Amino acid sequence: MPAAALGSGPRFPRFDNGMTPHLWQETLRCPTSSQPLHLATPEQVAELEARRQAGTLALPAATPQVNLAEPIRAAFVREDGLLCYLVEGSLPVLLPDHGVTP
């Protein structure tokens, strides 16, 4: 199925393993708490992008490697809503020191 047929929101390609975004949501977990991760809503992504543009996106102090040069197009939010992981290109970056405060 082409990525455009997956519905509204971020467009992710299918990967070699055949997983599509809805399957990711059933398997992805926060690397620090093991809580489930859910694809951010378009409103959450817009808020993250607005904060990125304003320079007010809350990053952990030791996280200079988070790529904020490109617009935020998608993210996965932890179940408790206190942390999210950005998607770079078409892959979520699920490293413990890459979480940002939504």
Side-chain angles (χ1 to χ4, degrees):
M1 172 185 338
L6 295 175
S8 63
R11 304 289 188 241
F12 293 96
R14 289 181 68 101
F15 294 95
D16 293 339
N17 64 6
M19 289 184 72
T20 53
H22 67 279
L23 294 175
W24 285 16
Q25 293 188 124
E26 297 172 9
T27 58
L28 292 182
R29 300 281 174 169
C30 174
T32 58
S33 71
S34 297
Q35 292 179 43
L37 296 173
H38 304 284
L39 191 61
T41 65
E43 294 80 14
Q44 288 172 313
V45 172
E47 175 65 24
L48 286 167
E49 176 56 16
R51 290 177 39 221
R52 181 197 70 85
Q53 289 179 8
T56 60
L57 193 60
L59 300 172
T63 315
Q65 62 271 39
V66 173
N67 180 10
L68 296 179
E70 298 294 323
I72 297 171
R73 300 191 192 289
F76 281 88
V77 181
R78 197 166 73 181
E79 187 173 59
D80 64 8
L82 299 178
L83 203 61
C84 69
Y85 296 88
L86 305 179
V87 174
E88 292 185 16
S90 60
L91 297 174
V93 181
L94 301 179
L95 299 172
D97 60 350
H98 277 63
V100 299
T101 303

